[in-house]
């Protein structure tokens, strides 16, 4: 399974792509974990660089289209589930020269595109505009005068539906364009490397595949005692249709889903009541960020809440009676009160959609519905053994229930199938809540970081910056916000970043990429940000950190990636440059080019080494 794919190696060369591969001992690549170029004490290529060049020289067939499968299989890869995770895996598989099919029993795009991320962002775009137009103080501060703003509910609903349809079409066409076979029906694993699929009223078909990826996603989780009618008691699947805007709606659960819908409903005129089982709202967020978010997103709006209670029973509205919600104490289970509301949205999380996949045929037992996998997304059976050629990505494995995490896991699996061992660093994957203002995060919360520090014996430091100090935020009159950095002062490693403020969902990626690439705070302090931009919030955050010296008496400055060699003075003596400087320059150039590109660039580097001294000195 992990043998190097010759056909996919040639595709990388044919398309002119150069892969930057961070490796740890044993040849394993970790997403985002970087190793610096080895020191060069002579002009000879290091063994590691030579090996890298040799790997790149392995011939591969160009990945044009969806060619024939190898080994007598119908396909090199079959993916069960055409959501964002399956889509990302399929595109990368074809790029690597794998004949690929994807099985979908519903519609392409899965939950994210059809009943989640995509249509919800359309509704949130509307709620953001409505908030601005209704904020008279905000408008006046900008010198604007706006008459009473209103909305057309059906037009808003159509906007969300049209966006989902457009993205679904884009995903479908992108797979068809490169030759991915889209097979309609529900897929079931019937044996080793065998899948049966079909739909009601049509005969089933059976296909074989060298590798199989399960990417079936999740469905809304509805606790016992709650009766769903889809009209007055409903999940996010129904809410995204926006068939009504109730005067008073209870939202059970105050996580990402509940918060975003509270933003939508209050912007459109509803009153909201949160029902949260834990003792605090927004339990999954960093506590300090959650406290500030409650002040900005809840306390200033028509929202009240009950914490530490379960909704033990919810009865839909009928015969002129309202929706009834019976609340019990989360600890004692004693009845506390009964709420009467116009509607109830159940936002208690999501459950994996893994029934009927034929996992029993592979001796795989789910854990609370989730398919057990190792760090490489390979499925494990009831005895703890790896199931050959079977992988599971996305919500179905429960590692991180985010659409972009599913896609990243799928790409990671394809890397392994193509012969390049790869482990995804889940702590580098960001998350965002698209309220107004937005919340985003990556890595550990402060309590998680301190718990880890206590176990492993290191210190944790925290710094914060405010949006009130940012020029761009003040120009927008959007100064409510904070950015928080949690880090190790001994190494400069980022442990977590949390942001509440304008465009927080966009800002978080600088921090997530820094974690993914292993970039230290010492390096980030020297990064340049355009002024005036919101990105300077993170610039100030990184600069506020005080990482300690790595070695006594020596600052931990990042290596200078400059053409001018560090540690050597460039001096013109006739048409010569100092030999030490030239040696350092050649060493750095050869090492970097060999590690990242191909041998053709080594020749270029040598030519530059001989010609550059004369060129530079001609200007002195």
């Amino acid at each position: 399974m992990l043998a190097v794919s010759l056909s996919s190696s040639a595709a990388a060369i044919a398309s002119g792509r150069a892969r930057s591969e961070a490796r740890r001992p044993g040849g394993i690549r970790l997403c985002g974990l970087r190793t610096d170029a080895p020191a060069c004490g002579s002009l000879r290529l290091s063994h590691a660089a030579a090996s890298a060049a040799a790997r790149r020289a392995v011939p591969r067939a160009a990945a044009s289209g969806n060619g024939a499968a190898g080994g007598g299989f119908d396909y090199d890869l079959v993916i069960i589930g055409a959501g964002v995770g399956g889509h990302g895996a399929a595109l990368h598989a074809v790029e690597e020269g794998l004949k690929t099919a994807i099985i979908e029993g519903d519609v392409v795009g899965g939950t994210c595109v059809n009943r989640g991320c995509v249509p919800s962002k359309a509704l949130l775009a509307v709620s953001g505009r409505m908030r601005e137009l209704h904020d008279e103080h905000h408008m006046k501060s900008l010198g604007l005068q706006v008459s009473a703003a209103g909305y057309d509910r059906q037009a808003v609903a159509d906007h969300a539906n049209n966006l989902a349809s457009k993205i679904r079409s884009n995903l479908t066409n992108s797979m068809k364009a490169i030759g991915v076979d889209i097979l309609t029906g529900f897929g079931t694993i019937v044996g080793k490397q065998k899948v049966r699929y079909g739909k009601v009223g049509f005969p089933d078909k059976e296909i074989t595949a060298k590798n199989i990826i399960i990417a079936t996603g999740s469905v809304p989780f509805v606790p016992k005692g709650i009766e769903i009618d889809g009209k007055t008691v409903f999940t996010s699947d129904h809410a995204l249709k926006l068939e009504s805007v109730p005067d008073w709606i209870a939202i059970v659960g105050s996580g990402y889903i509940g918060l975003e819908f509270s933003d939508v409903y209050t912007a459109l005129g509803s009153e909201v009541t949160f029902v949260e089982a834990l003792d605090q709202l927004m339990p999954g967020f960093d506590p300090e960020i959650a406290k500030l978010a409650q002040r900005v997103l809840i306390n200033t709006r028509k929202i009240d809440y009950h914490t530490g209670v379960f909704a033990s029973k919810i009865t839909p509205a009928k015969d002129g009676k309202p929706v009834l919600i019976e609340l019990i104490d989360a600890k004692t289970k004693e009845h506390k009160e009964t709420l009467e509301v116009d509607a109830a949205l159940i936002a208690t999380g999501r459950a994996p959609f893994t029934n009927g996949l034929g996992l029993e045929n592979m001796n795989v037992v789910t854990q609370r519905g989730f398919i057990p996998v190792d760090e490489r997304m390979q499925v494990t059976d009831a005895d703890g053994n790896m199931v050959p050629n079977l992988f599971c990505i996305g919500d179905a494995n429960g590692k991180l229930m985010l659409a972009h995490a599913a896609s990243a896991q799928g790409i990671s699996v394809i890397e392994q199938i193509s012969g390049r061992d790869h482990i995804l660093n889940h702590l580098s994957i960001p998350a965002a809540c698209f309220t107004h203002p937005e919340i985003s995060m990556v890595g550990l919360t402060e309590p998680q970081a301190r718990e880890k520090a206590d176990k492993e014996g290191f210190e944790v430091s925290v710094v914060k910056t405010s949006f009130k100090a940012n020029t761009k935020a003040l120009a927008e009159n959007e100064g409510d916000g904070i950015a928080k950095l949690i880090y190790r002062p001994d190494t400069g490693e980022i442990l977590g970043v949390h942001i509440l403020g304008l465009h927080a969902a966009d800002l978080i990626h600088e921090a997530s990429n820094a974690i993914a690439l292993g970039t230290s705070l010492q390096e980030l302090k020297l990064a340049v940000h355009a002024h005036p931009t919101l990105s300077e919030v993170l610039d100030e955050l990184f600069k506020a950190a005080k990482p300690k010296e790595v070695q006594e008496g020596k600052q931990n400055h990042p290596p200078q990636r400059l053409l001018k060699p560090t540690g050597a003075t460039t001096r013109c003596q006739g048409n010569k440059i100092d030999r030490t400087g030239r040696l350092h320059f050649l060493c750095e150039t050869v090492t970097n080019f060999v590690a990242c590109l191909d041998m053709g660039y080594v020749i270029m580097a040598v030519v530059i080494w001989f010609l550059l001294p004369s060129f530079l000195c001609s200007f002195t």
Side-chain angles (χ1 to χ4, degrees):
M1 178 182 65
L2 295 179
V4 176
S5 169
L6 298 183
S7 63
S8 60
S9 292
I13 295 176
S15 61
R17 290 184 296 107
R19 294 186 178 274
S20 176
E21 300 186 11
R23 295 185 177 272
R24 70 177 182 180
I28 299 176
R29 291 199 310 130
L30 292 104
C31 174
L33 298 188
R34 183 195 58 186
T35 54
D36 291 330
C40 181
S42 69
L43 298 184
R44 293 177 297 174
L45 297 180
S46 68
H47 173 71
S51 298
R55 282 194 300 273
R56 283 190 295 275
V58 176
R60 291 163 60 172
S64 57
N66 200 10
F73 294 97
D74 296 321
Y75 294 95
D76 294 312
L77 174 68
V78 165
I79 304 167
I80 303 176
V84 172
H87 173 266
L91 264 60
H92 195 50
V94 174
E95 181 184 350
E96 294 297 330
L98 305 177
K99 184 178 182 182
T100 304
I102 193 164
I103 300 172
E104 178 54 60
D106 188 11
V107 288
V108 170
T111 295
C112 175
V113 172
N114 300 288
R115 299 174 298 278
C117 326
V118 172
S120 67
K121 299 309 156 296
L123 297 183
L124 285 160
V126 173
S127 72
R129 300 296 191 279
M130 287 296 292
R131 290 193 184 284
E132 286 189 62
L133 295 174
H134 283 155
D135 192 340
E136 185 177 350
H137 175 74
H138 189 156
M139 291 290 103
K140 283 185 176 181
S141 68
L142 296 173
L144 300 176
Q145 296 179 355
V146 180
S147 59
Y151 68 91
D152 180 332
R153 182 199 59 77
Q154 188 57 54
V156 174
D158 290 344
H159 171 53
N161 184 61
N162 292 339
L163 178 62
S165 297
K166 182 176 182 179
I167 302 302
R168 179 170 61 247
S169 177
N170 289 347
L171 263 61
T172 303
N173 292 337
S174 67
M175 290 191 291
K176 288 182 177 179
I178 59 175
V180 174
D181 289 344
I182 302 176
L183 309 178
T184 302
F186 188 85
T188 302
I189 300 169
V190 295
K192 179 178 172 59
Q193 299 170 304
K194 293 182 181 179
V195 177
R196 180 183 299 133
Y197 72 96
K199 53 185 179 180
V200 178
F202 295 87
D204 290 346
K205 297 181 180 179
E206 189 172 299
I207 54 177
T208 60
K210 185 176 181 181
N211 292 284
I212 299 169
I213 295 178
I214 298 171
T216 47
S218 62
V219 295
F221 170 69
V222 179
K224 294 180 180 179
I226 298 178
E227 182 183 345
I228 301 291
D229 69 349
K231 299 294 183 181
T232 60
V233 180
F234 45 81
T235 68
S236 57
D237 285 3
H238 307 99
L240 289 167
K241 299 176 183 177
L242 201 69
E243 293 181 346
S244 66
V245 179
D247 291 333
W248 185 10
I249 182 170
I251 299 179
V252 183
S254 62
Y256 295 89
I257 299 172
L259 274 179
E260 289 187 353
F261 274 105
S262 76
D263 194 287
V264 171
Y265 281 119
T266 53
L268 298 182
S270 300
E271 294 185 18
V272 171
T273 295
F274 273 117
V275 176
E276 173 57 56
L278 298 180
D279 292 332
Q280 63 188 41
L281 295 173
M282 296 171 276
F285 296 81
D286 180 88
E288 185 174 11
I289 297 297
K291 185 177 180 180
L292 179 59
Q294 180 175 334
R295 193 178 79 202
V296 175
L297 300 175
I298 294 177
N299 295 350
T300 60
R301 300 175 181 176
K302 293 181 179 180
I303 300 176
D304 66 350
Y305 53 88
H306 300 266
T307 57
V309 295
F310 286 126
S312 61
K313 183 178 181 180
I314 300 181
T315 305
K318 59 181 66 173
D319 300 328
K321 296 181 180 179
V323 174
L324 300 178
I325 305 176
E326 297 183 15
L327 301 181
I328 62 172
D329 188 278
K331 296 176 182 177
T332 66
K333 303 301 185 291
E334 295 179 356
H335 181 268
K336 294 197 69 173
E337 64 179 297
T338 299
L339 300 179
E340 295 183 358
V341 296
D342 297 312
L345 166 63
I346 312 306
T348 48
R350 301 187 64 82
F353 183 62
T354 53
N355 291 331
L357 286 173
L359 297 173
E360 65 280 2
N361 297 324
M362 305 302 293
N363 190 32
V364 175
V365 178
T366 61
Q367 300 169 0
R368 295 181 297 111
F370 295 105
I371 298 175
V373 297
D374 68 356
E375 60 185 355
R376 294 172 176 81
M377 308 304 123
Q378 189 166 2
V379 175
T380 59
D381 63 19
D383 301 319
N385 301 316
M386 299 299 103
V387 180
N389 310 100
L390 183 61
F391 302 85
C392 178
I393 64 173
D395 289 5
N397 69 34
K399 281 186 172 290
L400 190 57
M401 299 178 78
L402 297 168
H404 49 281
S407 182
Q409 290 173 0
I411 292 171
S412 178
V413 169
I414 301 306
E415 287 290 292
Q416 296 168 56
I417 291 174
S418 300
R420 297 179 293 273
D421 199 2
H422 185 278
I423 297 176
L424 178 64
N425 177 12
H426 285 79
L427 285 177
S428 71
I429 298 177
C433 185
F434 294 85
T435 47
H436 296 90
E438 297 173 343
I439 310 172
S440 63
M441 64 222 68
V442 65
L444 304 175
T445 63
E446 184 175 347
Q448 290 171 338
R450 295 199 181 281
E451 181 181 359
K452 179 180 175 68
D454 290 341
K455 290 180 180 179
E456 299 182 12
F458 61 83
E459 295 181 17
V460 170
S461 291
V462 176
V463 293
K464 288 164 278 190
T465 58
S466 172
F467 277 65
K468 286 182 171 65
N470 181 266
T471 303
K472 186 65 162 54
L474 293 178
E476 300 272 357
N477 256 347
E478 297 283 357
D480 286 336
I482 186 175
K484 178 178 181 179
L485 168 66
I486 306 160
Y487 69 100
R488 288 185 59 164
D490 57 338
T491 62
E493 177 190 357
I494 297 175
L495 299 176
V497 173
H498 304 263
I499 307 172
L500 166 66
L502 185 65
H503 295 303
D506 300 312
L507 294 175
I508 196 64
H509 295 92
E510 182 173 359
S512 66
N513 287 334
I515 294 176
L517 297 172
T519 310
S520 70
L521 286 169
Q522 290 88 342
E523 293 175 284
L524 291 171
K525 280 173 171 285
L526 301 181
V528 180
H529 297 73
H531 175 77
T533 62
L534 291 173
S535 70
E536 291 175 295
V537 170
L538 285 182
D539 185 35
E540 293 300 323
L541 187 66
F542 297 145
K543 284 180 167 59
K546 305 295 181 185
K548 296 178 181 178
E549 298 178 0
V550 173
Q551 297 178 7
E552 186 174 348
K554 180 179 179 181
Q555 288 285 350
N556 184 26
H557 290 304
Q560 299 295 312
R561 297 182 179 87
L562 304 174
L563 287 179
K564 178 178 177 180
T566 52
T569 303
T570 303
R571 301 193 303 269
C572 287
Q573 300 171 346
N575 283 329
K576 298 180 181 179
I577 286 183
D578 180 76
R579 283 184 174 274
T580 303
R582 186 186 295 179
L583 181 62
H584 278 277
F585 172 71
L586 177 63
C587 171
E588 183 176 290
T589 302
V590 170
T591 302
N592 288 338
F593 273 103
V594 169
C596 298
L597 303 173
D598 54 35
M599 292 303 296
Y601 288 99
V602 176
I603 299 173
M604 184 186 300
V606 173
V607 172
I608 292 174
W609 176 55
F610 281 105
L611 296 182
L612 188 61
S614 299
F615 177 75
L616 290 177
C617 290
S618 65
F619 290 96
T620 61

